[in-house]
Amino acid sequence: MSHEQDEYWMRHALTLARRAWDEGEVPVGAVLVQGERVIGEGWNRPIGHHDPTAHAEIMALRQGGQVLGNYRLLDTTLYVTLEPCVMCAGAMVHGRIGRLVFGARDGKTGAAGSLLDVLGHPGMNHQVTLSEGVLADECAAMLSAFFRQRRAEKKALRQAGRAPQE
């Protein structure tokens, strides 16, 4: 894929990340593409779905499996706004995706090289090609703005609880 195509699909993932934000979820979006066709989309939904596995990547992989009628998602590329966690990276290996393209690194839980390197581990039975940093600034800015807003809301609630009653 060309850099322009990678940016195109990452912008689509950013749109999905905004849906997560609008639902009160951490804004991460994912798009699973085979050829020029979207076969799966997802955005973070663990809070709303009461499901710790409802990460953007998992949601996109599940939908892709349904579309293809197969858990092996061969010849696919997954675009995600944030470096995947261990669970999501493992699902990518099990699903045999061909390529992962992500935006921002996640120094706390990233499993594509930041904290761990699940995708590049030599013991894995499948290797996923990796491209990182596509629209990284936009991806990181959305996450930063979300957490800045969340901290401000929590601070306002704490202050409202301490405010004298009239």
Side-chain angles (χ1 to χ4, degrees), residues 4 9 11 16-17 34 36 44 57 67 71 132-133 144:
E4 291 79 25
W9 292 117
R11 287 191 197 292
L16 296 169
Q34 188 178 58
E36 295 295 316
N44 268 2
E57 301 95 320
V67 167
Y71 78 96
E132 66 173 273
S144 294

Side-chain angles (χ1 to χ4, degrees), residues 56-70:
E57 301 95 320
I58 300 295
M59 304 302 273
L61 294 173
R62 284 177 182 159
Q63 191 176 57
Q66 293 298 311
V67 167
L68 296 180
N70 195 332

Side-chain angles (χ1 to χ4, degrees), residues 27-51:
V28 178
V31 182
L32 185 64
V33 177
Q34 188 178 58
E36 295 295 316
R37 174 174 81 128
V38 173
I39 61 168
E41 296 180 335
W43 56 95
N44 268 2
R45 303 177 90 180
I47 298 167
H49 282 206
H50 311 292
D51 179 357

